[in-house]
Amino acid sequence: MFVRKLRNNIQSALHDLRSIKLTSDRDRMFLTANDQDEMEIAIKRLSHVFGIQSFSPVAKCEATLEAIKETAIHVIGSDETADKTFKVEIKRIDKSFPYVTGELQQEIGAHVLRNFPELGVKMKKPDILLHVEIRQDGAYLTSKVYQGAGGMPIGSNGHSLLMLSGGIDSPVAGYLMMKRGVSLDAIHFASPPFTSEMAKKKVMDLATQLSSFGASVKLHIIPFTEIQQMIVHQVPDNLSMTTTRRVMLQIADQVRQEAEALAIVTGESLGQVASQTLDSLTAINAVTSTPILRPLIAADKLEIIDLAQKIGTYDISIQPYEDCCTIFTPANPKTKPKLQKVEYYESFSDFEPMIEKAVQERTVIELPIQETDEFESLL
Amino acid sequence: MIYFDNSATTQLDDRILQSYIEVNKRYYANPASLHLKGKEAEALLERSRAQILSILGAPNGEVIFTSGGTEANNLAVIGLAKALQSRGNHLITSKIEHPSILRAMEYLEAQGFEVDYLPVNTDGVISIEDLEAAIRKDTIVVSIMHVNNEIGAVQPIEAISQMIKQKSRAVFHSDAVQSFGKLPIQLDAKGPDMITISAHKIHGLKGSGLLAMKKGVIPHAINFGGGQEKGLRSGTVSVPDAVSLAKSIRLNAVEEERKDFRQWRNQLIQFVDQYVRKDQILVLAPEQASPHILTIAFQHIKGEVAVNFFQEKGITLSTSSACSSKSGNAGHVIEALGIPQKYKNGVIRISFGNMNSDQQIEEFKKILASFMELLGRGQHDEVE
């Protein structure tokens, strides 16, 4: 299950690299590349695929001593060698190979030293460990180990709905859940004509960026204008934000059900803004018993920004488009809203049919979007 | 009308013109704008760039769109010299480069850089030994064209690249304006670090070209303004030009040399052999040239006379290069070849493109034969 998911995720992350082929055995997967550039791109992308502990570029050659020696020079030569130490490690899976391990180590080691006299030899903790594995179909040489992203293959831990605002935090929250193996749908609230197409495009870009970590993301865009106007008219200014969040959560919960997701993920971080105090979270959370996962709840803003930059969502998030939360921002939202009061004011309006309608009329976009054919015909 | 002057420029491909018109109509916004229209144009621009890089074998590389080959060559030579001057101030090129390289080199010399101009043999090809001897510790740029525009001479790009890598850290730029679409050229380990392509030589639009480079080889800008194209080429980017160029490149890219052109070229060489044996015609670079260019020289006849004759008979071809054909001199390329004096002024160039046909080659042979006949009669009047 774990391996199959991982395999699919790797395949989808590398689908456009034509020279790359994927094969696997029990505990390892092999990618073969015929193109150096594609190989480099693959290495970059693999470092983002969850569920990979580590990976190494491997050179394959004929299982003859001469070929192995020559390939060893190429493999070592791809690293910095000045003032470094190395060691040769042999694994003879093909026992019919006409040299024993000790001989091989000596032959290969001596050949490497002749070509790279600046290298030192060290048996314990060398800088470069040249690993040679001899199999029936050839010899495999490697000297580099890249750290994988760790985590678990996306999809191995179920499915959740991410509330994606367009800000810095929510994509990071989504990323962290993906890292724990959760696949995502995302929900976004749009208030045209107050919010622009560009704001929508920005959220699509964010979802697309998240999808680059190994699984497509279905984005639900909710038409929110009517509800927001109703709230502005019916609920006192300083509580309107709390009500807005409560309605959003109710809508999200319905979409979650339809998307067959188990939990809702948000980018909330304790105390960051008025809606993210413990009192606010309590008042907002009261509309549902669905688990709400808040992976950033204890993170500092700077830590979040760091991570956002690392995963490539920061530059998208800081594009200057208004979203629905920043349009009707009241001057003094309550940081300690009382649930009873909020419920009292909400009781004068019937949100139920409006919520129903918003859920019905949502737009669903699967990301990444395959490039439009419109461009295809022009190019 | 038969058009055999494809090395000067080519006829626009209808499909490319259609793209150009469509993009102008639909994606007219400035790709640097933040609005939706601008973002669409930007997406299309970036898609064009990616397509070009993928075809050139350097998906991680960079493409800078320019106004054509001349600007791209200027940017490569001057921009690289400026970017790398902390490493050295020596550049290497050949004597038969296009003026957009040679004049840029002279400009750099005036700025205090040193330039070596490699000679060529009678086939118009540099020698690797000369290159090796010219490379110095402080060599920062080597610019050697892939195919010469006047005689079609092909330089050994792989060997040049290998020699440069072996002996120095210099960046290797190659002007591929003539070669692209006729011979394979890639920005891979065996290829140059940077190449110039011009759209109108591959049935695209005039006024459009590019400089493509491998990852990590970045010149300095030589024009200044809004910082478009990663700061390397300021000025609003023409998305229609970029898309059209990407399409020209896709439609014309080749994995091996153009066999049809080679066949035509061989047929013509075979045909003129009768005159070659009588010393009436000299074939320039018979073996070493690009499949699409055949340059021949008539003895004691001005190239212009031949051009006029063929013009009269409905065949458009040219003296060696459109850029230098008005000046009346034999030109720096012909001079560099060291061919016998009696042929120097009689050079004409026949260059093929996608719109030519087998039939036109036959037609050309007939007219050439009638021209030679005419000359034969004329020879009685000449006093040797």
Side-chain angles (χ1 to χ4, degrees):
Chain A
M1 166 75 176
F2 186 99
V3 174
R4 205 178 61 229
K5 275 265 189 286
L6 182 57
R7 198 190 149 92
N8 288 342
N9 293 350
I10 290 175
Q11 243 154 7
S12 102
L14 306 180
H15 73 278
D16 56 329
L17 305 180
R18 292 204 191 99
S19 86
I20 290 189
K21 293 202 173 52
L22 180 66
T23 53
S24 54
D25 64 16
R26 259 169 315 180
D27 52 353
R28 276 190 294 192
M29 266 175 238
F30 297 96
L31 292 169
T32 43
N34 280 324
D35 182 301
Q36 190 59 33
D37 270 319
E38 290 201 347
M39 175 93 162
E40 277 169 30
I41 295 173
I43 286 175
K44 221 188 223 163
R45 293 199 195 154
L46 284 176
S47 67
H48 293 300
V49 175
F50 301 123
I52 299 177
Q53 284 311 313
S54 70
F55 58 98
S56 302
V58 178
K60 184 185 174 186
C61 66
E62 251 180 85
T64 65
L65 185 57
E66 273 319 301
I68 293 172
K69 275 157 72 173
E70 193 183 315
T71 309
I73 299 303
H74 286 299
V75 170
I76 296 273
S78 70
D79 261 326
E80 185 61 49
T81 49
D83 298 322
K84 293 280 170 75
T85 56
F86 88 110
K87 172 191 176 181
V88 181
E89 190 179 75
I90 309 281
K91 200 167 175 188
R92 276 170 75 237
I93 293 182
D94 176 13
K95 299 289 180 203
S96 70
F97 192 70
Y99 297 90
V100 297
T101 300
E103 286 174 326
L104 275 172
Q105 269 175 324
Q106 270 180 13
E107 280 279 346
I108 298 168
H111 188 66
V112 168
L113 277 180
R114 268 196 299 279
N115 283 276
F116 300 96
E118 69 276 21
L119 275 175
V121 179
K122 204 173 168 198
M123 287 302 122
K124 277 184 188 163
K125 293 198 180 167
D127 299 316
I128 302 169
L129 179 66
L130 176 66
H131 180 88
V132 181
E133 192 164 308
I134 295 157
R135 292 167 172 253
Q136 304 280 2
D137 63 331
Y140 296 80
L141 285 79
T142 177
S143 69
K144 253 189 224 146
V145 179
Y146 289 95
Q147 281 308 309
M152 304 171 81
I154 297 176
S156 64
N157 254 336
H159 192 63
S160 290
L161 178 70
L162 170 69
M163 297 183 74
L164 191 59
S165 66
I168 294 168
D169 302 344
S170 48
V172 176
Y175 168 85
L176 289 172
M177 292 318 297
M178 289 173 104
K179 186 171 179 180
R180 288 317 293 166
V182 174
S183 62
L184 296 176
D185 273 25
I187 184 170
H188 177 74
F189 296 84
S191 296
F194 305 110
T195 60
S196 68
E197 273 297 293
M198 292 310 301
K200 196 163 110 186
K201 171 94 185 0
K202 171 178 164 185
V203 172
M204 285 167 61
D205 287 349
L206 284 172
T208 304
Q209 183 59 20
L210 283 177
S211 74
S212 73
F213 296 106
S216 64
V217 173
K218 214 181 263 171
L219 176 66
H220 305 258
I221 298 175
I222 307 289
F224 202 52
T225 319
E226 273 180 45
I227 295 176
Q228 259 190 310
Q229 282 172 327
M230 169 108 147
I231 294 170
V232 169
H233 289 125
Q234 300 290 338
V235 181
D237 260 10
N238 56 3
L239 287 176
S240 65
M241 181 270 301
T242 311
T243 298
T244 306
R245 302 283 156 161
R246 283 162 56 87
V247 177
M248 282 178 166
L249 193 53
Q250 281 170 276
I251 292 173
D253 209 20
Q254 286 203 18
V255 171
R256 173 198 64 79
Q257 239 172 348
E258 289 186 28
E260 294 177 0
L262 289 175
I264 292 172
V265 179
T266 77
E268 286 157 323
S269 167
L270 196 59
Q272 200 184 93
V273 290
S275 64
Q276 297 177 20
T277 62
L278 268 184
D279 295 84
S280 278
L281 292 178
T282 308
I284 295 164
N285 211 149
V287 298
T288 179
S289 59
T290 299
I292 299 185
L293 309 176
R294 302 179 173 95
L296 300 178
I297 197 70
D300 288 347
K301 191 72 185 180
L302 287 178
E303 294 170 338
I304 300 173
I305 288 175
D306 263 3
L307 196 48
Q309 280 169 334
K310 233 172 75 187
I311 65 173
T313 56
Y314 183 77
D315 287 339
I316 307 171
S317 289
I318 58 171
Q319 288 172 14
Y321 306 112
E322 297 283 336
D323 68 32
C324 70
C325 306
T326 54
I327 288 169
F328 299 105
T329 316
N332 297 301
K334 283 243 186 248
T335 51
K336 294 190 172 185
K338 293 274 176 302
L339 182 56
Q340 269 179 326
K341 263 196 179 166
V342 178
E343 283 174 341
Y344 169 75
Y345 286 113
E346 286 174 8
S347 69
F348 296 106
S349 345
D350 188 5
F351 285 105
E352 207 53 44
M354 298 181 85
I355 290 174
E356 209 62 54
K357 183 164 171 256
V359 170
Q360 286 302 317
E361 291 177 356
R362 72 185 191 271
T363 335
V364 183
I365 306 167
E366 175 121 12
L367 297 162
I369 292 180
Q370 298 308 315
E371 297 272 11
T372 47
D373 283 333
E374 220 175 331
F375 284 1
E376 193 81 46
S377 68
L378 295 169
L379 288 159
Chain B
M1 210 276 285
I2 299 174
Y3 184 76
F4 276 156
D5 197 16
N6 290 280
S7 283
T9 191
T10 55
Q11 191 184 338
L12 183 57
D13 183 324
D14 252 348
R15 295 167 292 179
I16 292 165
L17 178 60
Q18 283 314 316
S19 275
Y20 183 73
I21 294 170
E22 274 305 297
V23 177
N24 267 302
K25 282 185 182 165
R26 275 153 57 192
Y27 301 98
Y28 49 80
N30 189 326
S33 296
L34 280 180
H35 45 65
L36 195 63
K37 278 284 192 194
K39 288 281 167 191
E40 275 175 6
E42 188 197 19
L44 182 53
L45 175 65
E46 292 315 314
R47 178 85 179 272
S48 310
R49 220 187 291 279
Q51 174 172 314
I52 291 166
L53 283 168
S54 145
I55 290 171
L56 295 179
N60 293 324
E62 236 0 292
V63 162
I64 307 299
F65 291 107
T66 67
S67 63
T70 290
E71 186 192 337
N73 277 344
N74 281 192
L75 174 60
V77 170
I78 301 172
L80 280 174
K82 302 266 170 179
L84 303 174
Q85 60 184 343
S86 62
R87 269 200 233 157
N89 76 332
H90 180 237
L91 297 89
I92 298 173
T93 188
S94 83
K95 285 190 171 162
I96 62 164
E97 296 298 311
H98 189 265
S100 55
I101 294 289
L102 293 175
R103 298 293 95 75
M105 290 287 180
E106 287 162 15
Y107 166 78
L108 287 172
E109 283 184 297
Q111 304 270 310
F113 287 90
E114 283 179 66
V115 182
D116 271 330
Y117 298 87
L118 301 179
V120 294
N121 63 17
T122 49
D123 277 341
V125 181
I126 65 153
S127 92
I128 295 296
E129 291 72 32
D130 286 346
L131 173 65
E132 182 174 12
I135 295 174
R136 311 193 318 212
K137 251 196 191 140
D138 61 341
T139 305
I140 47 176
V141 179
V142 179
S143 179
I144 290 174
M145 70 198 328
H146 190 191
V147 165
N148 177 268
N149 51 312
E150 297 194 25
I151 57 168
V154 183
Q155 305 301 337
I157 292 296
E158 275 189 29
I160 294 171
S161 170
Q162 204 184 348
M163 177 55 67
I164 295 169
K165 298 272 166 311
Q166 202 178 309
K167 297 270 291 184
S168 72
R169 287 171 66 204
V171 174
F172 176 25
H173 165 258
S174 185
D175 172 359
V177 165
Q178 283 298 336
S179 70
F180 187 84
K182 291 93 187 178
L183 293 172
I185 177 105
Q186 292 272 294
L187 289 171
D188 58 14
K190 293 175 179 168
D193 301 310
M194 196 178 270
I195 59 174
T196 296
I197 295 176
S198 165
H200 76 99
K201 307 283 194 198
I202 46 173
H203 303 280
L205 294 145
K206 325 289 189 219
S208 162
L210 62 78
L211 185 63
M213 57 207 85
K214 287 179 188 167
K215 191 182 164 194
V217 193
I218 304 290
H220 277 185
I222 57 170
N223 80 330
F224 305 96
Q228 287 88 348
E229 297 289 90
K230 304 228 153 85
L232 289 178
R233 207 278 185 168
S234 285
T236 300
V237 182
S238 166
V239 179
D241 275 319
V243 172
S244 307
L245 178 48
K247 188 163 188 163
S248 305
I249 286 176
R250 177 175 69 76
L251 292 174
N252 285 281
V254 291
E255 283 178 9
E256 51 181 32
E257 72 166 22
R258 280 286 292 257
K259 288 227 172 72
D260 46 351
F261 292 172
R262 175 66 71 198
Q263 206 180 348
W264 293 339
R265 188 176 190 276
N266 287 342
Q267 280 172 16
L268 289 187
I269 288 179
Q270 213 175 357
F271 181 75
V272 300
D273 190 56
Q274 49 182 314
Y275 307 112
V276 171
R277 276 185 277 128
K278 286 187 243 166
D279 274 347
Q280 291 168 321
I281 287 182
L282 177 71
V283 176
L284 277 66
E287 311 298 334
Q288 286 281 355
S290 176
H292 74 301
I293 296 178
L294 175 65
T295 303
I296 59 177
F298 298 101
Q299 187 186 178
H300 293 317
I301 299 285
K302 279 207 161 157
E304 199 189 323
V305 173
V307 168
N308 289 341
F309 179 85
F310 282 100
Q311 178 72 68
E312 201 92 321
K313 307 283 175 190
I315 296 184
T316 302
L317 41 75
S318 76
T319 54
S320 49
S321 124
C323 305
S324 63
S325 54
K326 281 181 190 153
S327 61
N329 298 327
H332 68 289
V333 178
I334 302 303
E335 289 296 345
L337 295 179
I339 61 172
Q341 185 64 37
K342 59 185 179 183
Y343 291 112
K344 269 189 188 168
N345 290 315
V347 177
I348 64 163
R349 178 185 65 186
I350 302 121
S351 49
F352 312 127
N354 294 346
M355 276 67 162
N356 294 129
S357 64
D358 290 340
Q359 218 180 352
Q360 294 180 342
I361 300 295
E362 290 309 314
E363 181 68 21
F364 175 81
K365 283 186 198 168
K366 272 187 224 152
I367 294 170
L368 178 63
S370 71
F371 181 59
M372 294 312 290
E373 211 172 300
L374 198 71
L375 290 184
R377 280 205 298 273
Q379 255 170 17
H380 295 297
D381 305 333
E382 234 175 74
V383 183
E384 286 278 338

